[in-house]
Amino acid sequence: MTRYILQRLGYMIITMFLIATFTFFLMKFLPGTPLSAADKLSEEQQAVVLEKYGLNDPVPVQYFNYMVNLTQGDLGISFQFDNREVTTIILERIGPSMTLGFQAMVIGTILGMLLGLISAIYHNGFLDYGSTFIAVVGKSIPSFVFAGILQYFVGVKLGWFPVALWEGWEYTVLPTVALAIFPIAIAARFMRTEMLEVLGSDYITTARAKGVNKFGVVFKHGLRNALIPLITVLGPLAIGLMTGTLVIENIFAVPGIGEQFVKAINTNDFPIIMGTTLLIAFLFIFIILVIDLLYGVIDPRIRLAEGE
Amino acid sequence: MDKLLDVKNLHVSFDTYGGEVKAVRGVNFDLKKGETLAIVGESGSGKSVTTKALMQLIPKPPGRIKEGEILFEGRDLAKMNEKQMQKIRGKEISMIFQDPMTSLNPTMKVGNQIMEGLIKHQKMNKSQARKRVVELLDLVGIPDPENRMKQYPHQFSGGMRQRVVVAIALACNPKLLIADEPTTALDVTIQAQILELMKDIQKKTDSATIFITHDLGVVANVADRVAVMYAGKIVEIGTVDDIFYNPKHPYTWGLLGSMPSLDSADEELYAIPGSPPDLLDPPKGDAFAARNEYALQIDLEQEPPMFKVSDTHYAATWLLHEHAPDIEPPASIKKRMEGMANTSSESKGERV
Amino acid sequence: MENHKPSKDLFVPVERTDNDSEKINRPSLSFWQDSFIRLRKNVGAMIGLFVLIALGVMAIFGPYMNSYGEFEQDLSRAKMPPKVEGLGWLGMDGTLSSVQTADTLEKAEQKAYMRFNNQEEFITLQTLNDGSNGQPAEVEAEYDVYAAKGMEDQSFWFGTDGLGRDLWTRTWMGTRISLYIALLAATIDMIIGVAYGGISAYYGGRVDNYMQRIIEILVGIPNLVIVILMILILEPGILSITIALTITGWISMARIVRGQVLKLKNQEFVLASRTLGSKDNRILRKHLVPNVLGLIIINTMFTIPAAIFFEAFLSFIGLGLPTPIASLGTLIDDGFKSLQIYPHILLFPAIVISLIMIAFNVLADGLRDAFDPKMRE
């Protein structure tokens, strides 16, 4: 098991290194320096600015410095916000993004699983069709369209929750719901399929032949076996949420990483774009790793195979 | 004799997109206490469905018990609801399934799977149940039960898993044990072990057993009586001797003829031509007629009733009718019949 | 059981000419016929197919159904609400309405008039609550925009946007662009994916090994990151968005095709066919292609909505198509800017994109069920 984890960590570092290298050289190709942000500067002033960003060094030296800084968690200095470190900016803004992502993930998967369970238990019944419909619509409608519907009807027309900004828990409600619809749909579909397959398997018949009641069959025998494959969708779900937060934060004016990222794109603030990109890549790879490991913890078959 | 189980005119159907599949079409049989009945037949003949219907384990929908009675100690199981059935299942009737690789829950410890029924039906507490599990595992021949019960099914071999399945079935001392092809999925050597175990357990406990199989070799070994099923009906039923040494139905002839035996080494094995009928639309008359080389004109028009051969032996074939021409069974069957000296060889049956 | 006595002459052996016991009663259907029958029975999938055809037709002919041009700006007719003759009951009557509350009825009416620049002749007021019951007075004002602007003879079916461009024309042009990008991306994904996966599985051995290592590295890089970086280099445009989408999009197709071909290559029916002396060509045509094609179609059907989503998503983070061009993404992004007062700008492109996404997903699900050989009975 330890060897497996180490091996995976190794792969992770290689991938991150490749992405960092790729983004660095990409930045070199792109038009846009800190100068484009500042207004007319004299030659000396320009030189000072370039010196500050280390842009006077030859490219390999810049690359080396960038990589060394990266290992220390230093992502460079923003072009737009004078003297502000990208790492600091990201850290400041990670809170709201994490809150939204976490709430949406937890609410989404739990509701989705419930919906999927109901579907499977009342297979081909009215409730099944209802929740399947919700799942298809939820999977299909883009989160930003759903955000618009919520913002207009629940926010503007009904006035139940604030439409934008970030000043208390009630401000998290609409963006969380807008984000959660995707995990709800995915979890519901997956849970339904897995539970139906499990409920049709032989060991469920064995359990029923023992006289176990419906509740016991579904929760004691079915759920755990259906949950194991569900873990495989958690990764894509988390990544879908990361994609979603980028736009949702913008729509609801949430001061998170996504909102900052979009601003950076519109102002060509490359250090922030790169930093956020690296962060997204890191989270992506990290989540996949965690989920693979989780898989081993939950499924006794894998756990033992690894242990031996 | 008091009957433990009496199945009367059982019909089971499945509603599919194509229409109603009549999987079981009027099955009658009974079972006395401590007796072993084997049900034999090809795949799709309805033997598994019949026994699953006894415990109401057929998936509903699409399956349903269309008509008939299942009298278990006088109570009609066909009319019971799910709640009532849960008290019967595992306690009074229990079942051993075909494939030990899939019939155990992969994420639950073996001991817990056996304990479940004990806690539910016998109201035992955990430590009592654990003690009983050790006994049971010992009974089914699993060494080191204290440690083995803490393991997961994937740590057991196929044969060992089937022993666990047997232990689960035996946990609450059921009055009726249904074994649905318990050896089919196992290696031949393991098959023999499990059969020995089954016989051993029959001796130790006095459960009645219904043994489903398509392997006639197994039947001779374990059963008191045999029912031959074809296309959702019992076509012949009798004691082991009746069926093996005085078979009356051409289908039984076919089955016996296709079974290799030691003293018929030189003969060619017989194969029944064709395949079973589509139960979505069962043929008129005798369902076996199309594959039957001894078919009579009447087989194509009317279903044969059960003819009584002896007090224990019944068969549904027009060949037993008084008007039927004398038809010689195939040579290999005749040889069998001769081998059995004092069979009651009435050539014509009595209609019931 | 029959009760009447059977007649004696029926007890004669049946004369058999040919052995009809081996006859199979059901008609034999090819894989595609069988799949198609099952697809046709799937109501949801058929509705999805119908919706897609309808939207496709509109994307082609919709922009020519009125005389307004896609880029025709006219600030005097900016943000006109939708108006369709005969669809007034749906709210598409060319009016804006607003509910105003105040302490007294008079004040509320005043506020209501104020809301629409006091153009009293075009405003109809309706009192919802006259304030006599202790609650604040409520007045609903309905403002006939078309009359106020002297444009009674015109009707913008989906209204106009902030620059006075006709949203009907732009929505269908946008649908066209979005579908074009999605179909192009899906086709390129399919070609690269099938070729890569097929070659990898067909040659096997070392070739397969190297090709799989490459895929493993690519899979580790989040496609969100790749797409964003690619757009940053390439500058937004139809082609660059398509390229960005395909750069990682083909991987899942390649993996599916490789997996399926590898699985089929060693399956008994292929071995059996080979034993019977079938040529490679025949095995490819009769066994591999039909079995892989279903999966390719299904996977493509799922990539199309994903591409549509990504195009819209890029518009949202400022990496979408450059301004005058309409796509569903840019239209929706635009609609958010005035959502609170003029929701119609967002409404129509949002409905269209949702319909496309739902229809593709439902149809893809239906196809998956139809092609799944496990479901065959």
Side-chain angles (χ1 to χ4, degrees):
Chain A
M1 194 73 183
T2 327
R3 212 188 124 201
Y4 176 70
I5 297 176
L6 286 177
Q7 195 185 342
R8 290 296 305 267
L9 283 173
Y11 269 120
M12 191 173 152
I13 289 166
I14 294 172
T15 314
M16 282 309 294
F17 173 78
L18 285 176
I19 295 174
T21 308
F22 185 63
T23 43
F24 174 82
F25 285 103
L26 208 61
M27 188 165 73
K28 293 289 118 194
F29 280 115
L30 290 170
T33 59
L35 300 178
S36 56
D39 290 326
K40 292 185 179 71
L41 295 167
S42 66
E43 294 257 326
E44 295 102 80
Q45 284 171 309
Q46 286 193 11
V48 171
V49 172
L50 288 176
E51 186 60 47
K52 185 176 96 185
Y53 288 97
L55 294 173
N56 285 333
D57 300 328
V59 173
V61 176
Q62 287 184 36
Y63 173 66
F64 180 77
N65 288 338
Y66 180 75
M67 282 301 183
V68 169
N69 288 339
L70 206 60
T71 54
Q72 291 156 358
D74 179 2
L75 294 165
I77 303 167
S78 162
F79 284 177
Q80 289 294 314
F81 305 96
D82 254 358
N83 289 325
R84 298 219 48 201
E85 285 192 355
V86 174
T87 314
T88 327
I89 294 174
I90 287 179
L91 284 179
E92 268 172 21
R93 286 176 162 261
I94 206 161
S97 298
M98 283 291 175
T99 312
L100 275 189
F102 186 72
Q103 283 182 0
M105 187 78 180
V106 171
I107 294 171
T109 37
I110 291 176
L111 278 183
M113 273 160 49
L114 277 177
L115 218 55
L117 262 183
I118 291 170
S119 252
I121 295 171
Y122 300 100
H123 183 42
N124 279 339
F126 175 73
L127 284 171
D128 184 18
Y129 293 130
S131 67
T132 307
F133 179 76
I134 294 176
V136 170
V137 170
K139 185 192 167 214
S140 307
I141 295 186
S143 54
F144 45 83
V145 170
F146 196 67
I149 298 171
L150 284 176
Q151 209 172 33
Y152 187 69
F153 288 103
V154 185
V156 179
K157 285 275 164 183
L158 297 171
W160 288 355
F161 296 103
V163 172
L165 296 177
W166 192 257
E167 276 146 26
W169 75 268
E170 68 268 27
Y171 288 81
T172 71
V173 174
L174 291 186
T176 302
V177 174
L179 273 177
I181 193 81
F182 181 69
I184 286 178
I186 299 292
R189 276 171 74 97
F190 208 79
M191 191 70 190
R192 177 177 181 272
T193 322
E194 288 306 325
M195 201 64 195
L196 279 180
E197 198 175 322
V198 167
L199 288 182
S201 62
D202 288 350
Y203 56 84
I204 291 296
T205 316
T206 310
R208 289 185 61 212
K210 267 186 261 182
V212 178
N213 58 25
K214 199 160 186 170
F215 183 87
V217 164
V218 171
F219 289 94
K220 217 168 143 195
H221 290 267
L223 199 56
R224 183 160 177 160
N225 288 292
L227 276 181
I228 292 170
L230 190 71
I231 298 168
T232 50
V233 288
L234 288 183
L237 266 187
I239 287 148
L241 282 182
M242 277 157 58
T243 315
T245 40
L246 292 188
V247 286
I248 296 293
E249 283 178 11
N250 243 354
I251 292 171
F252 290 97
V254 175
I257 292 175
E259 204 230 2
Q260 179 64 56
F261 185 61
V262 174
K263 256 190 221 156
I265 287 173
N266 290 324
T267 51
N268 281 352
D269 193 341
F270 289 112
I272 290 192
I273 299 178
M274 326 257 346
T276 316
T277 307
L278 284 178
L279 179 75
I280 292 173
F282 174 77
L283 285 176
F284 176 100
I285 296 164
F286 183 70
I287 287 169
I288 299 291
L289 174 72
V290 168
I291 281 160
D292 278 358
L293 296 180
L294 205 64
Y295 212 76
V297 174
I298 292 194
D299 193 339
R301 283 163 294 188
I302 293 178
R303 186 168 65 216
L304 266 122
E306 296 288 347
E308 274 156 17
Chain B
M1 278 288 258
D2 43 355
K3 287 176 181 171
L4 178 72
L5 179 74
D6 196 358
V7 177
K8 289 179 180 164
N9 195 28
L10 182 69
H11 285 75
V12 183
S13 287
F14 291 87
D15 298 311
T16 66
Y17 290 113
E20 180 189 345
V21 176
K22 302 174 193 79
V24 176
R25 308 180 298 147
V27 159
N28 294 283
F29 67 90
D30 55 45
L31 194 66
K32 296 177 195 77
K33 276 188 180 149
E35 190 182 32
T36 301
L37 171 73
I39 302 182
V40 288
E42 288 167 274
S43 347
S45 59
K47 47 194 195 319
S48 264
V49 175
T50 305
T51 47
K52 286 219 169 90
L54 297 187
M55 291 178 79
Q56 289 200 23
L57 282 178
I58 42 176
K60 281 188 279 192
R64 65 193 156 97
I65 297 177
K66 213 171 119 197
E67 62 174 288
E69 290 181 326
I70 303 165
L71 297 174
F72 180 76
E73 296 185 314
R75 292 166 294 170
D76 187 358
L77 301 184
K79 304 233 161 23
M80 285 197 175
N81 62 26
E82 182 65 22
K83 268 252 153 64
Q84 292 167 308
M85 276 314 292
Q86 279 163 14
K87 292 193 186 114
I88 305 270
R89 289 187 202 132
K91 187 180 177 196
E92 312 208 28
I93 309 178
S94 58
M95 199 154 179
I96 298 167
F97 295 93
Q98 182 171 352
D99 189 353
M101 305 314 272
T102 56
S103 53
L104 291 173
N105 187 339
T107 55
M108 204 172 181
K109 283 175 185 155
V110 162
N112 290 348
Q113 298 194 47
I114 304 174
M115 248 187 264
E116 220 179 358
L118 293 169
I119 292 169
K120 186 175 164 58
H121 296 301
Q122 317 249 351
K123 309 275 175 280
M124 286 187 182
N125 62 31
K126 275 254 162 109
S127 62
Q128 287 172 310
R130 216 166 275 138
K131 245 161 91 192
R132 173 83 177 126
V133 169
V134 173
E135 279 171 35
L136 281 164
L137 288 176
D138 206 40
L139 176 73
V140 297
I142 292 179
D144 191 17
E146 280 90 354
N147 288 322
R148 290 297 252 172
M149 65 183 282
K150 289 181 207 130
Q151 293 182 327
Y152 287 96
H154 68 270
Q155 291 160 287
F156 285 67
S157 68
M160 281 295 166
R161 284 193 209 190
Q162 195 62 317
R163 286 172 195 267
V164 173
V165 175
V166 173
I168 290 176
L170 291 176
C172 303
N173 296 317
K175 292 173 185 148
L176 172 60
L177 188 64
I178 300 171
D180 187 355
E181 309 215 18
T183 59
T184 310
L186 301 171
D187 286 348
V188 182
T189 46
I190 312 290
Q191 276 187 16
Q193 291 175 15
I194 295 291
L195 274 183
E196 277 310 309
L197 173 68
M198 298 279 306
K199 274 190 353 194
D200 196 37
I201 280 162
Q202 270 174 26
K203 262 181 247 157
K204 284 183 192 163
T205 65
D206 58 346
S207 313
T209 310
I210 297 180
F211 204 101
I212 302 172
T213 179
H214 59 252
D215 184 350
L216 279 167
V218 170
V219 171
N221 215 341
V222 295
D224 300 318
R225 285 197 303 145
V226 181
V228 180
M229 274 192 87
Y230 184 77
K233 290 187 161 201
I234 291 182
V235 294
E236 186 163 9
I237 184 165
T239 63
V240 172
D241 286 349
D242 290 337
I243 300 295
F244 275 77
Y245 300 107
N246 189 22
K248 290 296 179 193
H249 198 284
Y251 180 65
T252 317
W253 295 347
L255 280 185
L256 287 167
S258 58
M259 183 179 80
S261 65
L262 287 175
D263 45 65
S264 60
D266 52 333
E267 278 167 46
E268 217 177 291
L269 276 184
Y270 175 75
I272 306 173
S275 52
D278 189 350
L279 290 176
L280 200 59
D281 179 26
K284 197 180 155 213
D286 184 357
F288 186 56
R291 301 169 70 187
N292 184 359
E293 56 181 295
Y294 307 99
L296 303 175
Q297 202 62 46
I298 189 166
D299 280 322
L300 302 179
E301 290 171 26
Q302 272 186 40
E303 256 183 276
M306 269 287 182
F307 288 95
K308 182 174 176 180
V309 183
S310 70
D311 282 343
T312 54
H313 188 183
Y314 297 84
T317 166
W318 283 116
L319 293 178
L320 293 170
H321 193 269
E322 51 184 330
H323 297 318
D326 277 320
I327 279 176
E328 293 280 295
S332 63
I333 303 297
K334 263 169 79 181
K335 220 162 131 190
R336 266 177 189 284
M337 291 165 91
E338 282 153 16
M340 193 75 180
N342 48 353
T343 34
S344 54
S345 53
E346 306 155 60
S347 58
K348 296 287 183 252
E350 186 186 316
R351 189 171 176 170
V352 288
Chain C
M1 272 172 215
E2 283 84 349
N3 287 325
H4 59 89
K5 279 265 171 208
S7 79
K8 212 169 173 177
D9 47 314
L10 282 173
F11 287 89
V12 288
V14 183
E15 293 296 324
R16 251 182 247 281
T17 44
D18 64 313
N19 193 351
D20 52 13
S21 62
E22 298 281 2
K23 219 165 67 190
I24 292 162
N25 308 334
R26 297 191 203 178
S28 78
L29 296 171
S30 77
F31 174 71
W32 299 105
Q33 284 171 321
D34 193 43
S35 304
F36 186 66
I37 287 173
R38 247 171 310 137
L39 184 64
R40 235 179 15 198
K41 274 192 193 157
N42 186 331
V43 182
M46 289 324 280
I47 295 176
L49 184 64
F50 178 77
V51 168
L52 282 180
I53 292 172
L55 288 172
V57 168
M58 286 312 287
I60 296 169
F61 300 108
Y64 312 119
M65 289 167 75
N66 63 21
S67 55
Y68 307 111
E70 188 193 356
F71 306 122
E72 203 181 301
Q73 300 183 11
D74 183 351
L75 285 176
S76 69
R77 59 180 205 209
K79 296 181 176 171
M80 300 284 281
K83 179 181 167 192
V84 183
E85 300 297 339
L87 280 181
W89 53 273
L90 254 178
M92 293 163 78
D93 52 2
T95 61
L96 288 171
S97 62
S98 163
V99 177
Q100 299 292 333
T101 49
D103 297 342
T104 65
L105 185 61
E106 208 165 298
K107 272 189 190 161
E109 282 179 352
Q110 221 172 352
K111 268 176 89 177
Y113 280 132
M114 279 251 291
R115 164 72 184 77
F116 298 116
N117 299 329
N118 288 328
Q119 290 180 300
E120 292 185 29
E121 58 206 290
F122 306 114
I123 297 172
T124 344
L125 288 188
Q126 203 190 346
T127 312
L128 301 175
N129 186 340
D130 60 8
S132 56
N133 56 358
Q135 282 169 354
E138 253 181 329
V139 169
E140 186 179 5
E142 207 178 69
Y143 175 54
D144 188 342
V145 187
Y146 284 76
K149 298 205 175 183
M151 292 185 187
E152 283 103 329
D153 55 329
Q154 309 220 32
S155 46
F156 298 98
W157 296 328
F158 283 180
T160 59
D161 68 5
L163 296 173
R165 292 174 294 197
D166 176 45
L167 276 173
W168 170 275
T169 313
R170 285 183 69 75
T171 300
W172 297 120
M173 284 306 287
T175 310
R176 192 189 283 184
I177 299 283
S178 291
L179 281 177
Y180 173 73
I181 291 176
L183 291 175
L184 194 62
T187 313
I188 297 173
D189 279 356
M190 189 176 83
I191 294 170
I192 301 178
V194 170
Y196 195 99
I199 290 170
S200 184
Y202 188 81
Y203 287 105
R206 190 182 291 178
V207 177
D208 183 40
N209 215 338
Y210 284 130
M211 290 176 89
Q212 286 317 299
R213 289 295 88 74
I214 294 173
I215 280 203
E216 264 164 40
I217 292 171
L218 288 177
V219 151
I221 306 172
N223 70 332
L224 176 66
V225 170
I226 293 206
V227 170
I228 290 172
L229 292 180
M230 286 314 290
I231 302 270
L232 283 175
I233 309 175
L234 294 171
E235 294 292 311
I238 293 179
L239 196 66
S240 62
I241 288 182
T242 312
I243 292 173
L245 289 179
T246 46
I247 229 158
T248 52
W250 58 273
I251 293 175
S252 68
M253 180 68 88
R255 289 179 127 189
I256 287 172
V257 169
R258 174 180 175 269
Q260 189 69 6
V261 171
L262 277 184
K263 201 177 98 190
L264 289 169
K265 237 168 78 174
N266 295 318
Q267 234 157 43
E268 273 88 350
F269 67 90
V270 175
L271 293 179
S273 177
R274 187 157 294 177
T275 321
L276 290 173
S278 300
K279 298 247 162 52
D280 274 8
N281 184 15
R282 187 187 156 79
I283 291 173
L284 212 64
R285 239 182 17 204
K286 288 278 170 189
H287 296 299
L288 296 185
V289 171
N291 281 294
V292 182
L293 201 54
L295 274 179
I296 294 173
I297 293 174
I298 295 163
N299 195 48
T300 305
M301 291 301 283
F302 279 116
T303 35
I304 295 172
I308 290 177
F309 169 81
F310 246 105
E311 184 274 318
F313 170 80
L314 287 173
S315 302
F316 251 92
I317 58 172
L319 293 173
L321 293 170
T323 37
I325 305 175
S327 77
L328 290 174
T330 57
L331 290 172
I332 292 172
D333 188 31
D334 213 26
F336 264 103
K337 288 174 190 141
S338 42
L339 172 67
Q340 307 207 3
I341 306 165
Y342 303 104
H344 71 267
I345 301 178
L346 174 67
L347 181 69
F348 296 102
I351 289 177
V352 171
I353 201 174
S354 302
L355 280 179
I356 293 179
M357 299 283 287
I358 294 172
F360 265 115
N361 274 309
V362 170
L363 183 60
D365 280 347
L367 280 171
R368 187 176 50 193
D369 293 346
F371 286 143
D372 190 350
K374 273 190 291 184
M375 304 260 299
R376 299 180 94 179
E377 278 153 27

